[in-house]
Structures are given as structure tokens and as C-alpha cells.
Amino acid sequence: MKSRRSFIQQVSLTAASIPVLNILNATTMNTSINDDKILRVAIMGLGGYGTRVAEAMKDCKRAKLVGVISGTPSKITDWQKKYNIPEKNCYNYENFDAIKNNPDIDAVYVITPNGLHKEQVIRVAKAGKHAICEKPMALNAKEGQEMVDACKANNVKLLVGYRMHFEPHTLEIIRMRNAGEFGKVLFFQGLSGFTIGDPTQWRLNKALAGGGSMMDIGIYSINGSRYMIGEDPVWVTAQETKNNPQKFKEGVDETIQFQLGFPGGAVASCLSTYSMNNLDRFFLNGTKGFAELLPATGYGPIKGRTNKGELEAPVVTHQTVQMDAMAGIILNNEKPVVPVDGEEAVKDLKIIDAIYEACKTSNKIELKL
């Protein structure tokens, strides 16, 4: 059996505001659903984030962890015991196509290195199961579109792990913006970064990660600029800085600054880095006011303020709310405030492709999302 690990080694050589609760009730908190409408999920990739999702799902009302897919037999055994998963719902990376014949699994959450997403999601789709994929959904927009097309061809849904799209502080700022409370939006700043450790990890391997910081933490500022401003950008410029070429090899970005232009006239200035800590901030400025999230995208608690004062919103476990909301999307065709489908992810991938092109050419790249 070829495990994901062996593949990698080969390649490597609090009081809630009423508006927020209304949003959550509309999109994520419907708990009156019958047991036969529970989304039954298998997690593929039993690493650190897979574990975080599994723990969060213990508190879900609409989604349940029922299966696992891993290349490491010992992890499967451990998860079986910890989460009471039956043997018939356990698979490895070679045989998981057999989920096609398992009526007890509705969806597979793919939480593996970026370079594996395309093949694995397409296999899930061909098995007739809904796919949830971690972000970035693929290595580039072409791959992402192929994943979208495969899921459509097999009549299954494709969702992406944009957990912030269900986070209460984030949703409250979006509500305020939609209500015109900030006036005309003029500027957004997104700072996303941390100092990465182990130089041999898959996130610093181009074949598995597709790049460097941009493919991991930078996507938060890309996606955040879109949902905070409420528009899709029409152009991008970008500049790359690399101070440690030994750690950050060819094709693995260390730090990228990028700028986005939006059709309404707003501009965004963002930073993605693997070499600086304390960078997790979103700032939105308009003619009537401002909004800030600090931290903006960490696992929590998220904190925010506007020109009207501190945001009062519930503190939630992001993955719990996300999975309950995704159950509603998959089972009941519910519509989230901010999309989390494959098409949404392809837009981010088109922007990432353009950022890398802008870094290489120093050109302003026009975007058609």
C-alpha cells in the first residue's frame, strides 16, 4: 500500500448581537433537522487539521463523522477507537473508490496536501459522493475547474473549507457593509503570515504545495478582500521577496506583497509571508466608517471593532459551525451568505495564478473571474 507519507517522501527527497444571530440562524444553526437528514462524513487525511475537524464535529447537530481514509494504518486504528468508526467505513488511498458501494457515507472531506486534491476529489466524485476540499482547492485554476466539472458531471456537490464564511464577527461586518454603514468602500488591507518551521515539511515542497506562503496563508487575504469588499477584483499587481533561498526553494514563495483593484474603485493592499509572525489582520475603510478584525482568520477567538465600537458576536468553534452549515448546503440546498462552492475557489485560484505571473513579469494583470 502506497501511503500519503511515502508519496510525500518520494516527492521531497459572550453576548451575541441580534443581527449576527439572525445570519447564523439563517445559514448555519438550524438544529430542528431529523436524524435521517444528518450529513455523514468521511475525513480523508488524518493529520493535524483533520483531527481539529473531527474534534469540532463532536458538537455538530447536522453532520457526523462516520468514516476515515488514510495511508497510515495506525491512524485508522486510533481513529476507529476514538470516534467509534466501524471497520466497513475505513479505507486507504488505494481502495477508497469502494465508497461508491457504501450507503453510510454521504460526503468526503479531503484534508491532504494541495497537490493531491485534484485526483482525490475527482475520485470521490466518480464514487458518487459529495466532496468537501480544503483550500486552496487545487494547484491552479485549470485543475480547480477540472474538479468543478467532474463534480457536476457526477451530480455531486463540491464545497471548499472556507470556515471564515460562517464566522460571526466576519458575518457581522459583511451585514454592516451591505447595510451601507461604512459608506462607499475605498480600501482593504489584509496581512497574513507566520514564521514557518520544519524546512522538510510538505508545505515547502512545490510539487505538493504548489508554491509557498501564498498557497497556505496568503489565500486568506485574497478571499478576505473579496468578501470584505463585496466584489471581485479586476486587476492585480504583485512583488516577491525572498531572503532565505535555502529554505524557500525555486517556486516556493517566502513573502509576496500584492495589490488588487475592484470595479467599484476600492483597492486592496495585502501581504503573504512565511517569515514574519503577528500578521493576522483585516482592515476595511469606507467613506462613513471602518472595520477591523484582529485576529482575522486564526482558529479563534476572532476579535473585531468598527468605528461604532467593539463587535459583540458569539465565539464559536469555526469547524463546528462550518460543517453544520455545509450539511445544510448539501442536504437542503441552503444558501450561505458568502459562497463556499467550487466556483468560489476557482476564482481564488485565478487570482493566485495572476499573482505569480505578476511577480515574474512585474506587469499589471487583468482579471476576469
Side-chain angles (χ1 to χ4, degrees):
M1 180 176 67
K2 184 184 292 184
S3 70
R4 175 165 64 95
R5 181 171 297 172
S6 65
F7 179 83
I8 293 173
Q9 289 172 343
Q10 290 175 18
V11 178
S12 299
L13 294 145
T14 42
S17 66
I18 291 174
V20 172
L21 285 179
N22 286 340
I23 292 172
L24 289 174
N25 286 332
T27 61
T28 66
M29 293 296 192
N30 180 4
T31 59
S32 62
I33 202 162
N34 294 327
D35 287 343
D36 62 349
K37 296 287 282 185
I38 296 293
L39 183 70
R40 299 164 300 174
V41 180
I43 289 180
M44 179 187 297
L46 310 185
Y49 193 71
T51 300
R52 184 179 288 273
V53 172
E55 288 296 303
M57 287 185 68
K58 289 179 178 179
D59 295 322
C60 282
K61 302 295 192 298
R62 311 174 76 181
K64 181 180 180 181
L65 174 63
V66 300
V68 294
I69 303 168
S70 175
T72 307
S74 61
K75 288 185 178 181
I76 293 177
T77 301
D78 291 343
W79 279 52
Q80 277 187 271
K81 296 176 182 177
K82 188 172 184 179
Y83 300 107
N84 194 28
I85 295 171
E87 179 68 30
K88 65 183 180 66
N89 291 354
C90 298
Y91 302 87
N92 59 50
Y93 293 122
E94 293 180 341
N95 69 13
F96 76 81
D97 306 272
I99 60 173
K100 180 177 183 178
N101 303 313
N102 190 334
D104 296 332
I105 296 174
D106 302 313
V108 176
Y109 195 161
V110 177
I111 309 177
T112 56
N114 308 335
L116 308 182
H117 289 176
K118 175 191 166 184
E119 177 194 1
Q120 291 170 339
V121 166
I122 290 176
R123 287 172 65 186
V124 168
K126 288 182 177 179
K129 305 298 181 180
H130 301 292
I132 304 170
C133 185
E134 255 315 299
K135 59 190 179 302
M137 186 175 72
L139 297 184
N140 51 58
K142 180 178 181 296
E143 281 194 2
Q145 189 60 53
E146 290 174 11
M147 295 161 70
V148 169
D149 293 343
C151 288
K152 286 183 178 178
N154 288 280
N155 197 31
V156 297
K157 288 186 171 68
L158 171 57
L159 305 182
V160 182
Y162 290 112
R163 58 187 168 83
M164 303 313 299
H165 292 197
F166 309 104
E167 195 283 317
H169 297 78
T170 303
L171 289 174
E172 174 63 357
I173 289 175
I174 292 171
R175 184 201 67 78
M176 293 176 70
R177 185 207 66 222
N178 287 340
E181 295 186 36
F182 304 129
K184 178 179 174 60
V185 175
L186 302 173
F187 177 73
F188 171 80
Q189 182 186 52
L191 303 177
S192 300
F194 63 92
T195 301
I196 198 165
D198 181 9
T200 66
Q201 64 182 282
W202 71 263
R203 288 179 179 81
L204 298 179
N205 183 301
K206 180 173 171 54
L208 287 172
S213 69
M214 184 60 61
M215 297 295 288
D216 180 19
I217 192 70
I219 192 171
Y220 284 98
S221 281
I222 291 173
N223 190 251
S225 71
R226 295 174 54 220
Y227 63 67
M228 293 284 279
I229 291 174
E231 296 179 346
D232 288 332
V234 293
W235 59 259
V236 62
T237 56
Q239 308 81 36
E240 180 178 3
T241 302
K242 185 175 291 189
N243 294 316
N244 189 346
Q246 289 74 37
K247 186 173 185 177
F248 303 99
K249 307 295 185 184
E250 180 68 25
V252 178
D253 50 284
E254 178 181 350
T255 299
I256 293 180
Q257 299 175 77
F258 60 96
Q259 303 78 41
L260 300 164
F262 293 81
V267 293
S269 177
C270 304
L271 175 70
S272 168
T273 184
Y274 266 162
S275 292
M276 288 177 268
N277 288 325
N278 307 309
L279 291 175
D280 184 11
R281 178 179 184 260
F282 285 176
F283 180 78
L284 185 74
N285 197 32
T287 55
K288 294 182 180 179
F290 72 87
E292 179 186 51
L293 291 172
L294 177 65
T297 63
Y299 294 140
I302 301 301
K303 295 182 179 180
R305 66 187 182 103
T306 73
N307 53 290
K308 297 182 178 181
E310 296 293 319
L311 285 177
E312 292 185 351
V315 174
V316 301
T317 300
H318 300 170
Q319 295 80 8
T320 303
V321 176
Q322 170 197 326
M323 294 307 296
D324 271 342
M326 287 185 167
I329 294 169
I330 290 173
L331 297 175
N332 299 336
N333 290 315
E334 294 175 11
K335 302 297 182 184
V337 174
V338 184
V340 291
D341 53 42
E343 287 85 354
E344 172 81 358
V346 170
K347 290 181 178 181
D348 284 341
L349 291 168
K350 287 181 177 179
I351 296 171
I352 290 176
D353 289 349
I355 286 172
Y356 283 138
E357 182 182 353
C359 287
K360 292 178 181 178
T361 64
S362 299
N363 292 334
K364 181 178 181 180
I365 309 299
E366 301 297 325
L367 294 169
K368 295 181 180 181
L369 305 185

